[in-house]
Amino acid sequence: MSRPRTTPGPVPSAPRNAPDTPRSAPRDSSGASGDAPRGGRGGRVRDNAPWTAFGGDLHLDLGERRAAGAGLRAALEDALREAVQDGRLAPGTRLPSSRALGEDLGIARNTVVEVYGQLTAEGWLGARPGSGTTVAERAAPRPAGRPVTVRADRRPTGRHDLLAGRPDLSLFPRSAWLASARRALAVAPHDAFDYGSPLGRIELRRALSDYLARVRGVRTDPDRLLVCAGFGQGLGLLAAALRGRGAGRIAVEGYGLPPQREVLRAAGLGLVPLPLDRDGARTDLLDGPGGGAEPPEAVLLTPAHQFPTGAALAADRRAAAVRWARERDGYVIEDDYDGEFRYDRQPLGAMQALDPDRVVYGGTAAKSLAPGLRLAWLALPDELVEPVARLKSLADTMSPVTDQLTFAELITSGRYDRHVRRCRLHYRRRRDLLVAALAERAPRVRVTGIAAGLHAVLQLPPGSRPEAELLERARAAGLVLSGLDWYRAGPDAERAPEPPAAPEARPDTAPGTAPDAAPDSGAPGVAPALVVGYATPSDRAFPAALDALCGILRES
């Protein structure tokens, strides 16, 4: 275990190649060895003693206190007390043995023993025979200066998490992942753990190339696949590469993930929102959707299952987007964020197969496995492989090796396919429970976007409460969900064509639902809509979440 280094202020450090010779001996209650220091009488260390002695390292600067006239014991006592008071030494931290600290600071061991004893008597430290000296449990230290907080997770919290975007984490295949990790590590060559290609490990790129061709119809090869730390990183790399090629604008769907738009803006690209309808994004407007403004040089689409509305991009609009990219020397970025989960319709093949030189395919394991793995991939056109790989190398050199090797083994062993099939059945049952509950207890609510994915769009009837008020009431009931308006890209998407007023039932539509379409909750006079994720709650918590949701909708 590594420990913070001790330095005695002005005392110089030893050479980098100085030997580190641990010594073992009987220990006293402070964790010190029972014999005397090797430096001779008085516990002084020799000038050529190793810098890191046996025991924990700890940085303590005694120089200023010594310069102010304090003795060695007083300086050490004040420095340790201050480190505990200001929280630099957290409760439970094990301190170096008295011998080790004395050798590192160049002072007698007895001095350290006396200081430890004094601070233990004051309650700052604790000592137990055989356990060494540790920082005592105390009240939280007062903050030094203005505290700085960074939110690690921007998702709000509540009793019932119905936000779209995360899977049921309890489904993570721990046993299969562990078995795959053992196998992968057992057969991996030694150089697999060295710095490697920014594209990623060849084992995973080969496995993904075969898997994507078989399951999604993607046309690529290992040399054109890049493994990245989540689709967000991949999108940022693509945006930077396009900006480097002179692109200034990118078209986005009228509704989509705000964090993705932030990534694109951060790369210096202007956004051109495309309206949506029941057939997906209006790709026929790519040559001029902004009222005479300069057309974009790229477009970001979710063609298999538009997020969040759920519409599938019609075949003629797919063809129109590819034709536009060829004519304009542009690129289509295909975000296939939940391509494995189809329920009531035949799986749609990847749009990338229409033209691998003009369509970048992006996939992820965030929904099928877990977002915490940070495993995603890009199937790149030839012209973008080098610039995107170079940017990946500058960003983080390469993605972590062990997870890549494990995922490759998971795919090639067939365990991944079996896991995805289990998840598909699980999420379909969840969706059916949601649809049945709404049909019985909130029949005026139209449920759309459910033929695939892990979420649904609930279109509320005309005359319902405003979206903001509904969300506030949901929060008060312990529900965490989002309104459709949060996903809106901008004013150019405000008047997307409305869905049919009285849709006919279709064979692939669950009872009580409407065909997939693009609701327009943000437009004046249009009823609000809620985006509900049904994957995150546990099986035990899901019925209570449905009860709370239906209660809010009944009062809408």
Side-chain angles (χ1 to χ4, degrees), residues 278-353:
R278 63 180 297 168
D279 290 325
R282 293 285 305 276
T283 56
D284 56 310
L285 301 178
L286 280 170
D287 275 323
E294 287 295 321
E297 290 89 358
V299 57
L300 172 62
L301 298 172
T302 51
H305 187 230
Q306 202 283 323
F307 188 85
T309 66
L313 189 62
D316 60 332
R317 295 189 180 178
R318 291 180 170 222
V322 172
R323 183 170 58 251
W324 165 85
R326 291 169 180 162
E327 294 172 354
R328 294 288 184 175
D329 192 26
Y331 291 98
V332 177
I333 302 174
E334 177 180 11
D335 179 6
D336 195 30
Y337 66 98
D338 63 356
E340 293 89 352
F341 301 115
R342 301 288 178 266
Y343 310 126
D344 299 320
R345 65 184 182 210
Q346 289 296 318
L348 299 175
M351 185 175 171
Q352 183 263 5

Side-chain angles (χ1 to χ4, degrees), residues 193-201 226-229 233 237 388-401 404:
F193 305 99
D194 199 354
Y195 294 109
S197 169
L199 293 176
R201 284 300 304 175
L226 180 139
V227 181
C228 47
Q233 184 193 49
L237 297 174
V388 175
R390 179 175 53 83
L391 290 168
K392 169 67 174 176
S393 180
L394 292 174
D396 58 9
T397 305
M398 53 187 281
S399 293
V401 167
Q404 292 188 64

